Amino acid sequence: MVDQPRDDRHARLASLEDRAIAARHAGQFEQAVTLFAQAADVADDLQTQLNLQIRQACCLLAIERHSEAAALAVIVAEQARVEARNALTRSLIAFAVARLELERDAGILQPDETAAGRSSLPAKAAPPPPPPALPPAPPESAPATAPAPPAPPAPPAPNDPPK
């Protein structure tokens, strides 16, 4: 698509969205599908694009184009997941930078020899110690002896035999 000035793109987006909504309200779902798709192509930000694509998918459902609606919903979900992951990464980076700036400003940042910086905050907990070692196996020459089984109980004493 040819780059347009922001105001022109915004006006075109608003026009396409308004026409798509009108078509949907009039029951012209095929036309609404096309207009929502065009509006999504013009949208500047991902959130607006995803919103318009979901509305497009709803119109596809209204005209029983279920597989197309499902495919579009999967695309929107994947894009939203990627954007959420990117937002999380940006937040973690911003947090790390802010923490390092605070430590620098407080005079407690301790750079290491690689100049990558080392936080003066407590390190993460040390990993747990390894489990205790098993007792050594008996030498090969010594036969392994198992404890003797308990002796069977003595038979009952016979009664006196009849005479």
Side-chain angles (χ1 to χ4, degrees), residues 2 9 21 28 31 38 51 79 82 84 88 92 106 111 115-116 121-122 145 149 152 155 158-160:
V2 176
R9 288 175 63 91
I21 292 169
Q28 299 170 340
Q31 184 181 7
Q38 291 173 354
N51 181 283
Q79 288 174 323
V82 168
L88 173 63
L92 291 172
L121 296 177
T145 57
N159 292 343
D160 289 327

Side-chain angles (χ1 to χ4, degrees), residues 4-6 9-10 13 39-49:
Q4 299 174 352
R6 184 164 171 75
R9 288 175 63 91
H10 184 70
L13 173 63
D41 288 341
V42 174
D44 286 337
D45 64 291
L46 183 62
Q47 187 64 40
T48 301
Q49 180 186 12

Side-chain angles (χ1 to χ4, degrees), residues 61-98:
L61 287 174
I63 53 178
E64 298 184 5
R65 290 168 52 186
H66 301 282
S67 60
E68 290 175 69
L72 186 56
V74 167
I75 290 168
V76 168
E78 180 63 20
Q79 288 174 323
R81 185 189 68 78
V82 168
E83 178 56 26
R85 179 89 165 207
N86 290 342
L88 173 63
T89 301
R90 286 190 299 271
S91 295
L92 291 172
I93 291 169
F95 172 77
V97 168

Side-chain angles (χ1 to χ4, degrees), residues 14-27 32 35-36 52 55:
S15 172
L16 286 167
E17 187 174 6
D18 289 344
R19 289 172 39 212
I21 292 169
R24 185 183 63 200
H25 285 297
L35 292 167
F36 278 128
L52 291 164
R55 293 161 90 180

